[in-house]
C-alpha cells in the first residue's frame, strides 16, 4: 500500500476549490447590479440633458457644491502657486508685530520681489534707514522663521523720498534743493 494521497490532491499542496453554484450566482448578481446602475445613470443624464438642466446636485456632496470662501481662496492660492507671495503679504499686514511698534512707526514695507526674494522697505528718515540696515540680518532671520527658510534673502532699505524738487527763483546757487536734507 502507498502513502500517497488519493485523487483529492496532495495534503501539502491542496487544489483551490472551484466556485460553487451559489458563489457563481453572487458574482453574476453583482455584475448585473453594476451594469444596471451604469445604465440608470446614463439614462438619467440623458433625461436631464433633454430637459436642458444638465447634471443636478443631489442629496450627496459632490464637486459642484458650494464651498466656504476661505477654503476657495486657499485652494486658489495652492493651485496657482502663490503661497510665498501670500505669506509675505500677511507679513506686511503684521509688520508692527514682527519688527516692533517703534520701528513700524518709521519704516514700512513697500514691495516684495519673488524672483530675487528681496523685501523693499521705506523709512521716513535717513537715521531710521541706517538703523534698519543695521537690523536687517536679524529681520531676515525672523522673517524666514515666520515664512520658511529662504523666503527672504535680503532687505533693501530706502530712505525718504522727500518732497518734489522745485526749481525757481528762490534757490541758493549750488544747492540741490530738498535733496540736501533728504539725501
Amino acid at each position: 500500500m502507498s502513502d500517497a494521497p488519493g485523487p483529492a490532491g496532495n495534503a501539502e499542496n491542496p487544489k483551490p476549490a472551484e466556485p460553487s453554484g451559489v458563489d457563481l450566482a453572487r458574482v453574476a448578481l453583482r455584475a448585473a447590479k453594476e451594469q444596471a446602475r451604469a445604465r440608470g445613470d446614463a439614462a438619467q443624464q440623458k433625461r436631464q440633458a433633454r430637459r436642458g438642466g444638465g447634471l443636478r446636485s443631489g442629496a450627496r456632496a459632490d464637486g459642484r457644491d458650494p464651498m466656504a470662501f476661505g477654503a476657495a481662496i486657499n485652494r486658489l492660492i495652492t493651485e496657482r502657486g502663490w503661497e510665498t507671495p501670500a505669506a509675505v503679504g500677511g507679513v506686511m499686514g503684521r509688520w508692527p508685530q514682527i519688527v516692533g511698534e517703534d520701528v513700524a512707526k518709521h519704516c514700512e514695507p513697500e514691495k516684495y520681489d519673488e524672483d530675487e526674494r528681496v523685501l523693499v522697505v521705506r523709512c521716513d528718515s535717513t537715521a531710521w534707514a541706517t538703523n534698519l540696515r543695521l537690523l536687517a540680518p536679524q529681520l531676515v532671520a525672523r522673517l524666514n522663521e515666520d515664512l520658511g527658510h529662504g523666503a527672504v534673502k535680503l532687505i533693501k532699505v530706502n530712505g525718504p523720498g522727500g518732497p518734489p524738487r522745485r526749481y525757481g527763483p528762490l534757490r541758493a546757487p549750488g544747492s540741490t534743493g530738498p535733496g540736501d536734507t533728504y539725501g
Side-chain angles (χ1 to χ4, degrees):
M1 201 165 198
S2 166
D3 289 341
N10 190 347
E12 295 170 0
N13 193 9
K15 282 186 173 179
E18 296 283 329
S20 67
V22 175
D23 292 332
L24 290 173
R26 284 185 183 141
V27 169
L29 179 62
R30 186 178 310 127
K33 282 183 177 180
E34 288 175 6
Q35 290 174 353
R37 186 177 303 123
R39 283 193 308 267
D41 289 344
Q44 182 181 10
Q45 289 176 358
K46 284 183 183 177
R47 280 193 304 271
Q48 287 178 349
R50 275 191 300 238
R51 286 186 279 173
L55 294 175
R56 302 223 189 272
S57 183
R60 293 182 191 92
D62 63 5
R64 298 169 293 147
D65 287 342
M67 62 173 36
F69 184 71
I73 293 296
N74 288 337
R75 181 174 160 192
L76 179 68
I77 287 171
T78 303
E79 286 174 356
R80 302 284 171 103
W82 295 339
E83 288 93 355
T84 301
V88 171
V91 164
M92 289 184 177
R94 294 181 292 120
W95 184 251
Q97 289 85 18
I98 293 171
V99 299
E101 294 293 328
D102 195 32
V103 174
K105 287 178 189 175
H106 301 283
C107 306
E108 64 181 29
E110 279 190 336
K111 66 180 179 177
Y112 174 71
D113 184 1
E114 185 178 1
D115 297 329
E116 300 289 325
R117 300 192 184 266
V118 174
L119 180 66
V120 179
V121 179
R122 171 132 348 244
C123 297
D124 62 0
S125 71
T126 54
W128 275 103
T130 303
N131 188 22
L132 194 65
R133 284 185 191 104
L134 294 173
L135 292 174
Q138 290 90 1
L139 287 178
V140 168
R142 190 178 303 167
L143 289 169
N144 283 330
E145 283 176 16
D146 197 26
L147 299 172
H149 182 68
V152 178
K153 291 184 178 179
L154 178 70
I155 294 180
K156 183 178 177 186
V157 181
N158 292 332
R165 297 182 183 205
R166 295 196 176 135
Y167 300 101
L170 300 177
R171 273 189 48 163
S175 169
T176 59
D180 288 341
T181 306
Y182 295 106

